[in-house]
Amino acid sequence: MSRARERAATGPPVRPRGWAHRHRALLIAVVVVLVGAVLVGLKPWESCGTGLSAVDADEESVGSSYVCVGLNLDSGPLRDDDPLDPLEKLIKARNDAAGENFKTIVVLENLAPDPKVDSQPFLFVRREIQGAITAAWPKNGPPGIKLLLANYGSNADHWRVVADEIIAAAAAQRIVAVTDIGTSSENSRALVAELSQHGIASIGATVTADNMNTDPKGSRIDNFFRVGPTNTDEARAAAGYISAHGFRRVMMIQGVSKEDTYATTLAEAFKSASKVPVIFTKTYDVKPLADTSREAYLRGLFSRWHNDICGAKPDLIYFAGRGLDLGALVAALAGDGACEGLDSVTVMTGDDASTLAGNPLPLDKDIAVRLRYTALAYPDQWDMFTADPAYPTYKKNYDNFIAEFTGTHGFPKGELWDGAAMIEHDAVAAAVEAAVQNVSADPVSVPNVLRGIDCNSSVPGATGFVAFDQATGNQLDKALPILSIAPDGSVHPVDLVWSRGRPLNTAPDCGR
């Protein structure tokens, strides 16, 4: 057969079909998914990193339609335009340089707080992470330390996701401890109980509710420790201040949400510790509302109490609630008219009031308010302690922290005023000490090492020496600054007291 006839018989050469034609079914499926996603408002190309899951968020509040919850194994962004991005990149660079013989410390918080529902502001959270970085990577610190951030979302609603991710990663990441824990709530309490069941240690920084070291059934959480005070410590300090300054008519305003163990245990502790009878109590509960913010709702509620407060004529109101809620009370006292016979009142509360500081407050309006609170820490707090023989040692430890915070890492000293960086630094410092002292990389071996951080083997910190009570896991002899907030939002020291009446020492009773 001639070539011409051969070509005529066989036809032109067969060209391979294009990719779209060959994968037509797949292409149609992808288009259907994408169109459907657009129609329901989803963005399937948005993805969270390893160890994270995306949950819906209020874009108006947090600037993103989604937030990533879980354990941030890649140290990547947790939402659109994540304001933590510079710190996450710093953490990733340090982690990448940790080498193969590393150990990991987790910082657990609500890392994308929603101002409509959450009481803890973002800037407080950012400063906690700065403190963690300072403790993990001092200039001449031990090699091989990693930090990972974990986000459990608003009200720790996604605590189960976080717990599962931490437990799954514990062995491979050689997790030493989970630090911070965020705010005291039933969810955060359930989380540390779950971690403890798997042998993983937690070191609370800002969780002060007395029952944080017991599980929801009331049993001791064996592997929970904390460097901050308990609410009993804070209430005892407040009661002493109230008695010493001659207050006689004390009213209490108390949050009673079952989820918010900070407020409920603070109220219980104050009632037990107060040397002055509480003449009158008002309670409130807050649930997430679809049509208004928490602050706006409470502003209206507290306004309705104006006549009750005027009638009681307290010289001091003890506020057992969140700082955000206290701001609503101050606004109500300022703007709802004067009271006959009640021109001014002192309002005293716990450490969550630090979330109010830094912003102007109407403290000198219709009813003038003198605002006091027991704080977790305060920069230069040791300047109120100069007469004590132990002062030089505590001051030296604090100065070392300042050198690392401002010098090694370049964070501004002005970031320290609310104590967030200081207290989280001490939680991570305790975890670093456990990592260094422990011969094992198995996470279940860590709690025994942490129990060894006692009054005879304490860890120097920015807020004092860290030592754990063997029976409870609580901090021994925590220093508590009493602070005031001025109308311009500035914070000023008033006093420095000790949770057990004196500084930690190495006497035979170990300061008990």
Side-chain angles (χ1 to χ4, degrees), residues 285-333:
D285 192 359
V286 184
K287 305 295 183 186
L289 301 172
D291 60 347
T292 189
S293 69
R294 175 183 181 126
E295 186 174 13
Y297 169 74
L298 287 178
R299 172 67 175 84
L301 178 67
F302 294 153
S303 291
R304 295 178 62 86
W305 295 358
H306 185 264
N307 289 339
D308 293 335
I309 294 172
C310 289
K313 291 183 174 57
D315 54 10
L316 184 136
I317 298 173
Y318 190 79
F319 188 82
R322 292 290 175 183
L324 181 69
D325 305 347
L326 177 58
L329 174 66
V330 167
L333 292 173

Side-chain angles (χ1 to χ4, degrees), residues 213-252:
N213 60 355
T214 59
D215 66 21
K217 295 181 179 179
S219 300
R220 166 83 166 94
I221 301 174
D222 292 329
N223 301 324
F224 175 77
F225 306 83
R226 69 174 123 199
V227 299
T230 63
N231 279 345
T232 291
D233 294 333
E234 295 197 37
R236 189 183 298 121
Y241 176 87
I242 290 168
S243 177
H245 288 78
F247 294 99
R248 291 294 176 264
R249 295 185 60 80
V250 176
M251 172 185 175
M252 184 161 72

